[in-house]
Amino acid sequence: MGEDTTIIQRKRMVAEQIARRGISDTAVLRAMERVPRERFVQPDDLAWAFSDGPLPIGEGQTISQPYIVALMTSLLHLQPTSRVLEIGTGSGYQAAILAEISCEVYTVELIPSLFEQSRKLLISLGYVNIYSHLADGSPGWADAAPYDGIIVTAAGPELPPPLLEQLAEGGRLVIPIGGRGHQVLEVHHKKGGKIHREVNIPVAFVPLRGEYGWK
Ligand code: SAH
């Protein structure tokens, strides 16, 4: 695939799958056009890199559907000065999208091979504002807290309590919560020291493991 062809395909992906479904945040739309999604999928799946669904990334994990990446990112209400925590680096695609929009991204992955692979790819693409960690991210990452945004890209049975503590005043936390097969996307907004919870759409994510995830 040539450079020009992939840019055209990314623009079409954004127009047809994301903008058309109602996401209008221009920072998110531009980031989705810029980040080379084709580099984050497995070589065998190159032809499906811009398709309207999730794809396997190895180790039984998946890179989310482009629309879900855009939706979760827009729900964070990020600014260029925001510091963000992602739990579940996977391919690194969501981290790259966050890094296009905000100033610092902290991302935590539990599986060593995915951690190594995504870290190398993000460095080779020139992302100097992404800090990758190999750890159980279900208790968050206290060292760099508080965060203006926290995004969990695996589904837990319940909201890990430390994540709310690591959220800055005015910050937003986006996480799929529910059973192993199906969940709802929840948004928790910290305002005046209180947490306001909203439920967004039904989703299907791979399980969050670790201390506050599925055993
Ligand atoms: N955001 C990713 C998709 C991730 S799939 C992307 O853009 O490609 C979910 C990821 O969460 C998997 O890589 C899985 O290994 C990871 N994960 C599951 N439980 C975790 C935990 N407790 N801590 C850190 N990562 C976890």
Side-chain angles (χ1 to χ4, degrees):
M1 258 189 278
E3 178 80 351
D4 291 351
T5 324
T6 58
I7 291 171
I8 291 165
Q9 286 176 298
R10 293 203 292 267
K11 287 196 165 166
R12 187 182 301 155
M13 173 188 88
V14 168
E16 292 176 1
Q17 300 172 30
I18 298 168
R20 197 164 58 84
R21 289 195 179 111
I23 291 179
S24 56
D25 184 330
T26 50
V28 175
L29 300 179
R30 274 194 210 116
M32 301 280 301
E33 286 178 355
R34 261 199 310 263
V35 175
R37 184 170 167 92
E38 67 278 7
R39 299 284 302 274
F40 293 85
V41 305
Q42 296 189 320
D44 285 353
D45 289 327
L46 211 49
W48 289 273
F50 311 103
S51 62
D52 195 11
L55 288 169
I57 54 171
E59 305 280 355
Q61 308 302 318
T62 54
I63 177 174
S64 299
Q65 178 189 14
Y67 172 68
I68 294 295
V69 173
L71 175 66
M72 290 176 86
T73 309
S74 68
L75 289 171
L76 289 171
H77 293 211
L78 297 175
Q79 303 296 318
T81 52
S82 299
R83 298 171 66 257
V84 193
L85 172 67
E86 178 194 27
I87 296 153
T89 317
S91 70
Y93 179 69
Q94 174 74 72
I97 298 290
L98 297 169
E100 293 277 348
I101 299 173
S102 55
C103 83
E104 284 174 15
V105 178
Y106 296 82
T107 182
V108 188
E109 173 57 50
L110 188 63
I111 299 178
S113 61
L114 293 174
F115 162 77
E116 283 297 341
Q117 204 179 320
S118 61
R119 201 174 61 96
K120 279 186 197 141
L121 177 58
L122 291 167
I123 290 169
S124 79
L125 290 171
Y127 289 104
V128 293
N129 58 339
I130 300 176
Y131 305 92
S132 307
H133 301 287
L134 175 62
D136 171 13
S138 71
W141 187 263
D143 292 5
Y147 305 98
D148 305 301
I150 300 180
I151 175 171
V152 186
T153 63
E158 58 189 15
L159 175 65
L163 298 186
L164 286 181
E165 288 161 28
Q166 292 170 31
L167 197 60
E169 169 61 26
R172 284 181 163 82
L173 161 61
V174 177
I175 180 170
I177 298 284
R180 277 174 185 271
H182 294 91
Q183 310 92 28
V184 289
L185 206 52
E186 294 191 0
V187 183
H188 297 256
H189 183 197
K190 195 182 261 191
K191 216 174 154 191
K194 289 202 180 105
I195 300 294
H196 302 262
R197 174 177 164 273
E198 276 171 34
V199 173
N200 203 274
I201 59 165
V203 286
F205 273 81
V206 295
L208 178 72
R209 309 269 176 209
E211 190 181 346
Y212 294 95
W214 298 97
K215 298 297 173 236

